[in-house]
């Protein structure tokens, strides 16, 4: 258990590789993301970095209220459970009506008739166009008298009461403006046995019809999709998606020529996880910016960016370059992990070579040295001056009788101390309070299982 808690704290407090973020260095359509700095020196003013990390970890965990989260979860689950057995016939009728509006048969023709013994089979080829329209999912369904009662409306709502008699409402709304996107053509078969019929000599033959259906599927993607779950007008859950497909040159996804942008957020009570900006450009800068907050308090922020070029080689899409990788991960504005790599393809190639030679100490260590020469990662404490270097170091282990090599990130501090594993730095002695606090939260959550 200590090992896994240690790795949790490692990810939470430093998150060297898992929660990375980067900056957009160029002027483009994406939002500006803070550019990680490249300090040439390591700060010496930080006397006790462990104390700073421990206090930051305790403060972060203090913002997590599992009792409120689990109470909201129980409330939502309770409402769903109360109406699980209600009659949904009106809901099924509405669903069938939506399907009829979304699917249109464009061509239907008899391809062949095959008579085999006592069976006659008709083969029909059917072409359909299916347009997935979220806007068609509309109407209010209210729980009354052990059934869901439908009434016409422009949005989609499920209206009920919770165990305390409060109004509980699930609501889906979409914007009117949409982008039509081609998703592909999918083939399906339907078989219908139409019964027996008498032949001229008094015998019987079975008659069946087989439909080979080609579904050409499109989706009408709204610019804004909003899903909410409220109880007594209090928002328990909120999901919002804002895809921006205006950079698409046609109605099919083209990862070579298109540009994509968007944002998304998920809120549970006053906790909000948001992807504030995603920008994808195959021949330019791609970036992402994320954050976790509670109310107005920003708990975690992360961003990442990379300059890429894609092309087609031999009919296959290939990345020709991946340069200027930047990351920035921040906890409470007090602890940051920042880093950069100028050439992502070379870095990936070095990692692959190291993994391929993990049974050869000399070669493995040489590739790790190469990897470290291409990256610059460090820990910062609210300043632009690096407080600790982070590098990869090789370690040996045995699998039965065979020895193999692997890497772990290592802290190097200005007082000439180096922690060769994250367990050594995030140990129970130095981080006992943080581990104890996390254990309290874990035990509380276990009680709800």
């Amino acid at each position: 258990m200590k090992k896994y808690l240690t790795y949790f704290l490692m990810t939470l407090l430093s998150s060297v590789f898992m929660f990375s973020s980067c900056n957009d260095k160029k002027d483009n359509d994406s939002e500006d993301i803070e550019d990680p700095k490249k300090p040439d020196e390591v700060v010496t003013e930080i006397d006790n970095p462990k104390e700073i990390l421990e206090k930051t970890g305790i403060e972060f965990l203090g913002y997590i209220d599992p009792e409120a989260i689990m109470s909201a979860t129980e409330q939502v689950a309770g409402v769903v459970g109360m109406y699980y057995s209600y009659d949904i016939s009106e809901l099924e009728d509405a669903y069938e009506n939506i399907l009829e509006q979304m699917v249109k048969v464009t061509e239907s023709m008899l391809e062949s008739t095959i008579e085999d013994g006592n069976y006659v089979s008709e083969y029909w080829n059917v072409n359909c166009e299916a347009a997935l329209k979220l806007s068609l999912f509309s109407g209010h369904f209210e729980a009354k008298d052990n059934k869901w009662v439908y009434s016409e409306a422009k949005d989609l709502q499920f209206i009920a009461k919770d165990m305390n008699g409060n109004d509980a409402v699930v609501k889906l709304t979409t914007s009117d403006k949409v982008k039509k996107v081609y998703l592909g053509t999918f083939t399906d078969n339907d078989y219908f046995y139409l019964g027996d019929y008498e032949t001229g000599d008094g015998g019987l033959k079975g008659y069946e019809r087989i439909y080979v259906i080609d579904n050409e599927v499109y989706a009408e993607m709204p610019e804004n999709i909003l899903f909410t779950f409220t109880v007594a007008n209090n928002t328990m859950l909120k999901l919002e998606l804002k895809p921006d497909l205006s950079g698409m040159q046609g109605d099919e996804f083209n990862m070579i020529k298109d540009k994509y942008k968007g944002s998304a957020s998920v809120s549970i009570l006053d906790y909000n996880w948001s992807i504030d900006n995603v920008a994808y450009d195959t021949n330019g800068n791609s970036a992402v910016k994320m954050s976790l907050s509670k109310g107005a308090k920003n708990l975690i922020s992360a961003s990442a960016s990379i300059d890429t070029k894609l092309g087609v080689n031999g009919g296959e899409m290939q990345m020709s370059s991946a340069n200027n990788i930047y990351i920035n991960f921040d906890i409470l504005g007090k602890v940051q992990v920042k880093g950069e790599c100028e050439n992502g393809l070379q870095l990936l190639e070095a990692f692959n070579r190291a993994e391929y030679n993990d049974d050869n100490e000399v070669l493995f260590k040489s590739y790790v040295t190469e990897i470290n020469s291409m990256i610059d990662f460090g820990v910062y404490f609210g300043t632009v001056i690096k407080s600790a270097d982070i590098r990869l170091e090789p370690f040996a282990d045995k699998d039965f009788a065979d020895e193999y090599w692997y890497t772990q990130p290592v802290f190097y501090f200005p007082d000439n101390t180096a922690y060769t594993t994250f367990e050594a730095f995030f140990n129970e002695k130095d981080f006992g309070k943080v581990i104890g606090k996390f254990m309290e939260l874990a035990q509380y959550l276990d009680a709800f299982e």
Side-chain angles (χ1 to χ4, degrees):
M1 175 61 74
K2 291 181 181 178
K3 177 180 179 181
Y4 294 107
L5 287 176
T6 299
Y7 276 111
F8 171 82
L9 294 170
M10 172 197 74
T11 305
L12 178 65
L13 299 178
S14 62
S15 299
V16 180
F17 301 109
M18 296 301 294
F19 293 93
S20 59
S21 72
C22 303
N23 164 35
D24 182 355
K25 296 180 61 181
K26 299 179 179 180
D27 293 329
N28 55 24
D29 294 334
S30 64
E31 297 178 5
D32 291 335
I33 301 174
E34 180 186 358
D35 188 5
K37 305 300 181 181
K38 293 178 55 180
D40 296 324
E41 58 178 318
V42 176
V43 70
T44 58
E45 290 81 2
I46 304 298
D47 295 327
N48 194 342
K50 287 185 179 181
E51 182 178 349
I52 297 176
L53 290 174
E54 181 182 34
K55 288 182 178 180
T56 304
I58 292 174
E59 182 180 353
F60 175 84
L61 292 173
Y63 285 103
I64 307 301
D65 187 350
E67 184 175 0
I69 295 174
M70 295 310 299
S71 176
T73 303
E74 283 190 324
Q75 200 167 11
V76 172
V79 172
V80 174
M82 288 174 62
Y83 301 97
Y84 181 78
S85 61
Y86 270 44
D87 180 11
I88 60 171
S89 57
E90 292 192 25
L91 177 60
E92 290 176 332
D93 291 341
Y95 175 73
E96 290 179 1
N97 181 52
I98 291 171
L99 289 181
E100 290 178 359
Q101 295 182 66
M102 288 196 300
V103 180
K104 178 177 67 175
V105 177
T106 58
E107 184 180 27
S108 179
M109 59 184 298
L110 177 64
E111 290 287 339
S112 62
T113 301
I114 299 176
E115 186 171 347
D116 184 10
N118 292 324
Y119 281 93
V120 176
S121 300
E122 284 187 357
Y123 286 85
W124 287 74
N125 182 259
V126 181
N127 295 320
C128 297
E129 182 176 306
L132 305 179
K133 301 179 181 180
L134 283 179
S135 59
L136 293 177
F137 290 85
S138 62
H140 289 182
F141 296 87
E142 188 170 0
K144 291 181 179 180
D145 302 324
N146 294 316
K147 65 179 181 179
W148 290 98
V149 180
Y150 170 80
S151 61
E152 187 175 349
K154 291 185 177 180
D155 61 356
L156 176 64
Q157 290 189 31
F158 292 87
I159 307 166
K161 299 287 185 180
D162 71 354
M163 57 285 295
N164 298 317
N166 298 312
D167 289 333
V169 181
V170 174
K171 185 177 180 179
L172 175 67
T173 57
T174 61
S175 59
D176 293 332
K177 192 173 182 179
V178 298
K179 169 69 175 179
K180 187 176 181 180
V181 178
Y182 174 69
L183 300 181
T185 299
F186 306 91
T187 301
D188 193 13
N189 295 327
D190 276 348
Y191 298 85
F192 292 94
Y193 185 69
L194 302 180
D196 299 329
Y197 70 95
E198 293 185 1
T199 61
D201 55 4
L204 294 176
K205 284 193 176 182
Y207 188 80
E208 65 179 358
R209 184 172 293 172
I210 302 171
Y211 293 98
V212 180
I213 306 171
D214 290 326
N215 295 289
E216 194 173 78
V217 181
Y218 293 83
E220 292 189 359
M221 184 64 66
E223 288 188 345
N224 188 75
I225 302 170
L226 179 63
F227 172 88
T228 58
F229 189 113
T230 60
V231 177
N233 292 323
N234 296 316
T235 301
M236 313 297 288
L237 175 64
K238 178 182 176 181
L239 170 63
E240 187 168 17
L241 302 175
K242 294 182 177 181
D244 183 353
L245 304 180
S246 59
M248 291 182 63
Q249 299 188 19
D251 59 8
E252 295 186 45
F253 288 107
N254 189 322
M255 304 303 290
I256 301 295
K257 298 179 180 180
D258 290 342
K259 297 180 181 181
Y260 307 101
K261 295 189 296 182
S263 62
S265 65
V266 178
S267 299
I268 301 177
L269 298 176
D270 59 344
Y271 294 94
N272 181 67
W273 173 257
S274 64
I275 302 176
D276 305 304
N277 177 54
V278 176
Y280 171 80
D281 186 349
T282 56
N283 292 296
N285 182 267
S286 298
V288 60
K289 184 178 181 181
M290 300 174 290
S291 63
L292 173 66
S293 61
K294 182 181 182 183
K297 182 65 176 180
N298 190 38
L299 304 181
I300 292 176
S301 61
S303 56
S305 73
I306 183 173
D307 295 332
T308 59
K309 287 186 178 180
L310 294 182
V312 178
N313 186 2
E316 295 183 359
M317 184 174 67
Q318 290 186 350
M319 183 176 293
S320 58
S321 67
N323 302 324
N324 302 322
I325 302 172
Y326 294 93
I327 71 165
N328 184 7
F329 177 76
D330 179 282
I331 301 176
L332 298 174
K334 297 180 178 181
V335 177
Q336 299 83 33
V337 173
K338 301 180 183 181
E340 66 175 353
C341 172
E342 292 186 358
N343 194 315
L345 292 184
Q346 288 184 6
L347 181 65
L348 178 60
E349 185 178 350
F351 269 109
N352 290 336
R353 289 198 299 263
E355 183 180 7
Y356 183 78
N357 294 280
D358 64 355
D359 58 348
N360 187 313
E361 178 181 356
V362 175
L363 285 177
F364 186 86
K365 287 183 176 180
S366 69
Y367 293 132
V368 172
T369 300
E370 182 182 354
I371 291 170
N372 285 321
S373 70
M374 290 187 284
I375 61 176
D376 179 13
F377 282 89
V379 179
Y380 302 78
F381 295 106
T383 70
V384 297
I385 302 176
K386 189 188 301 180
S387 296
D389 276 314
I390 301 174
R391 296 196 294 271
L392 292 180
E393 292 293 343
F395 296 89
D397 204 348
K398 286 189 175 181
D399 184 5
F400 299 102
D402 298 325
E403 183 180 68
Y404 68 94
W405 290 82
Y406 64 98
T407 61
Q408 282 194 358
V410 177
F411 285 166
Y412 286 91
F413 287 96
D415 61 358
N416 296 321
T417 57
Y419 295 88
T420 55
T421 64
F422 275 93
E423 287 98 332
F425 188 78
F426 294 107
N427 58 75
E428 188 170 0
K429 176 183 176 182
D430 293 301
F431 290 90
K433 292 181 181 179
V434 180
I435 294 175
K437 180 67 173 177
F438 175 72
M439 285 297 295
E440 291 178 9
L441 297 178
Q443 290 172 359
Y444 185 89
L445 295 175
D446 287 341
F448 285 89
E449 292 183 354

